């Protein structure tokens, strides 16, 4: 297995020497084979660049989050550790000083390099100005460092389409709203403006994602007052949330409403227990326990 992996890495290094536009150890597309591919939906946008001999460079923007950038490779050519990111002139534009973006931690995995929103935007600005973002790190094999260069050729037009895609993204993604919590004041079942904004986003997502098949809304109260009063108040809270989602277009038959009174506290703080929770369930997901449990909540209650 080790020999096979080693042979693959040496072969990839040979490809870099033969096909790369710069020196040995540098991976990058030339003018003749630089392409960018856009994948778009309301859930996310990605702009992918094939780096010959290495893998892919990807700008990705998931709904509800900021843009990120990562390198992807099936073969671990870079040693894990601290690498360097610069924006430099391509070989056909000599004489322009490179711009240092900063250090990056290279990991041992299929996505060894990941950058956050600020650094990703610096790379975009460099590409739009005709420069080539480059990541450099010591190689697993060989004395020269590995350099992965991202080509600006054909980037600008695809990036314009990418921005249009980003403008049409949903306000949130599934992971952000699959478990949500609506807090309430003592004795109240009134929704705040912030609550309505959250529920608007949840409803928008549900209506866009056909794989969501169930919405569980659970009402809770603190332990002040009688059991009967608390049970009724928790039911009011759950119904208020469910009715708001229905008003925003979520089908009633998708929603399961449950009221628990004060039976399942989320913590020892009364304010934490005055709540309604929303849990989404997608098709194919393993159904979780339908009943809330004690401190810390439950799978269904978030």
């Amino acid at each position: 297995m080790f020999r096979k992996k080693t042979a693959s890495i040496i072969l990839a290094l040979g490809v870099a020497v033969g096909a790369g536009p710069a020196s040995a150890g540098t991976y990058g597309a030339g003018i003749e084979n630089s392409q960018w591919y856009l994948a778009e939906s309301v859930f996310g946008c990605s702009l992918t660049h094939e780096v010959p001999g290495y893998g892919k460079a990807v700008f990705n923007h998931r709904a509800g989050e900021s843009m990120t950038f990562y390198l992807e490779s099936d073969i671990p050519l870079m040693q894990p550790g601290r690498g360097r990111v610069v924006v430099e002139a391509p070989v056909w534009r000599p004489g322009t000083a490179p711009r240092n973006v900063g250090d990056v931690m290279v990991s041992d995995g299929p996505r060894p390099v990941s950058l956050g929103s600020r650094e990703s935007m610096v790379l975009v600005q460099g590409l739009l100005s005709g420069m080539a973002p480059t990541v450099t790190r010591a190689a697993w094999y060989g004395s020269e460092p590995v350099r992965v260069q991202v080509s600006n050729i054909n980037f600008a037009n695809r990036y314009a389409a990418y921005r249009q895609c980003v403008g049409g993204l949903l306000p949130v993604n599934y992971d952000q709203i699959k478990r949500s919590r609506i807090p309430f004041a003592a004795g109240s079942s009134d929704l705040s403006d912030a609550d309505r904004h959250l529920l608007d986003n949840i409803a928008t997502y549900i209506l866009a994602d056909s794989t969501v098949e169930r919405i569980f809304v659970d009402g809770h109260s603190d332990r002040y007052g009688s059991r009967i009063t608390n049970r009724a108040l928790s039911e009011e809270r759950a119904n208020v949330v469910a009715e708001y989602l229905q008003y925003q277009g979520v089908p009633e038959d998708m929603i399961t409403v449950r009221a628990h009174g004060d039976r399942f506290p989320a913590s020892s703080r009364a304010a934490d227990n005055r709540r309604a929770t929303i849990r989404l369930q997608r098709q194919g997901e393993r159904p979780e326990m339908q009943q809330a449990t004690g401190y810390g909540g439950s799978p269904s209650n978030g």
Side-chain angles (χ1 to χ4, degrees), residues 110-226:
R111 292 185 180 179
V113 173
S114 296
L115 300 178
S117 177
R118 185 193 69 81
E119 294 86 356
S120 299
M121 200 63 224
V122 173
L123 301 195
V124 167
Q125 291 169 350
L127 288 165
L128 291 175
S129 63
M131 303 287 276
T134 304
V135 179
T136 304
R137 172 62 189 158
W140 270 117
Y141 296 88
S143 57
E144 291 192 48
V146 171
R147 301 177 71 250
V148 179
Q149 194 170 76
V150 182
S151 171
N152 64 75
I153 304 299
N154 298 316
F155 175 77
N157 288 340
R158 290 286 83 195
Y159 182 67
Y162 173 84
R163 288 190 63 185
Q164 288 186 342
C165 173
V166 170
L169 288 175
L170 295 172
V172 291
N173 62 58
Y174 184 69
D175 290 335
Q176 292 173 330
I177 48 89
K178 65 182 179 181
R179 297 177 186 275
S180 303
R181 178 181 180 275
I182 302 292
F184 290 94
S188 172
S189 59
D190 294 333
L191 297 173
S192 68
D193 289 342
D195 299 333
R196 293 187 183 90
H197 179 68
L198 172 59
L199 292 173
D200 287 342
N201 286 343
I202 292 174
T204 298
Y205 184 88
I206 292 170
L207 295 174
D209 187 350
S210 61
T211 67
V212 176
E213 62 180 5
R214 299 298 305 167
I215 303 102
F216 296 95
V217 179
D218 291 89
H220 298 269
S221 72
D222 58 33
R223 287 181 170 171
Y224 296 104
S226 70

Side-chain angles (χ1 to χ4, degrees), residues 7-291:
S8 297
I9 293 173
I10 293 173
L11 176 61
L13 288 172
V15 170
V17 172
S23 61
T26 296
Y27 298 81
I31 296 176
E32 73 287 349
N33 62 348
S34 176
Q35 296 295 330
W36 289 87
Y37 304 97
L38 175 64
E40 54 186 326
S41 75
V42 295
F43 305 106
C45 312
S46 63
L47 196 54
T48 301
H49 174 61
E50 298 288 344
V51 182
Y54 179 81
K56 300 175 182 178
V58 181
F59 290 98
N60 187 63
H61 198 133
R62 193 181 182 198
E65 299 179 4
S66 300
M67 178 176 64
T68 60
F69 170 86
Y70 60 85
L71 294 179
E72 188 171 275
S73 178
D74 294 332
I75 303 173
L77 297 176
M78 297 180 180
Q79 289 187 29
R82 193 176 300 279
R84 184 175 177 229
V85 184
V86 299
V87 175
E88 61 187 13
V91 292
W92 53 86
R93 285 182 55 187
T96 304
R99 177 184 177 186
N100 183 47
V101 178
D103 292 340
V104 62
M105 291 306 299
V106 177
S107 64
D108 184 12
R111 292 185 180 179
V113 173
S114 296
L115 300 178
S117 177
R118 185 193 69 81
E119 294 86 356
S120 299
M121 200 63 224
V122 173
L123 301 195
V124 167
Q125 291 169 350
L127 288 165
L128 291 175
S129 63
M131 303 287 276
T134 304
V135 179
T136 304
R137 172 62 189 158
W140 270 117
Y141 296 88
S143 57
E144 291 192 48
V146 171
R147 301 177 71 250
V148 179
Q149 194 170 76
V150 182
S151 171
N152 64 75
I153 304 299
N154 298 316
F155 175 77
N157 288 340
R158 290 286 83 195
Y159 182 67
Y162 173 84
R163 288 190 63 185
Q164 288 186 342
C165 173
V166 170
L169 288 175
L170 295 172
V172 291
N173 62 58
Y174 184 69
D175 290 335
Q176 292 173 330
I177 48 89
K178 65 182 179 181
R179 297 177 186 275
S180 303
R181 178 181 180 275
I182 302 292
F184 290 94
S188 172
S189 59
D190 294 333
L191 297 173
S192 68
D193 289 342
D195 299 333
R196 293 187 183 90
H197 179 68
L198 172 59
L199 292 173
D200 287 342
N201 286 343
I202 292 174
T204 298
Y205 184 88
I206 292 170
L207 295 174
D209 187 350
S210 61
T211 67
V212 176
E213 62 180 5
R214 299 298 305 167
I215 303 102
F216 296 95
V217 179
D218 291 89
H220 298 269
S221 72
D222 58 33
R223 287 181 170 171
Y224 296 104
S226 70
R227 281 288 177 92
I228 294 176
T229 300
N230 289 341
R231 173 67 168 71
L233 182 57
S234 69
E235 186 173 11
E236 287 180 21
R237 288 168 174 167
N239 283 331
V240 162
V241 170
E243 289 167 4
Y244 191 90
L245 290 174
Q246 292 172 40
Y247 179 76
Q248 295 304 315
V250 178
E252 181 179 359
D253 60 4
M254 291 180 65
I255 303 174
T256 298
V257 176
R258 301 175 294 194
H260 304 288
D262 58 15
R263 289 185 299 160
F264 304 113
S267 78
S268 59
R269 295 180 67 249
D272 292 338
N273 300 322
R274 300 189 290 264
R275 71 201 192 278
T277 59
I278 305 104
R279 178 174 66 86
L280 309 187
Q281 181 176 296
R282 277 173 162 170
Q283 297 169 5
E285 288 183 339
R286 182 179 177 182
E288 300 183 73
M289 289 179 61
Q290 298 279 313
Q291 182 176 352

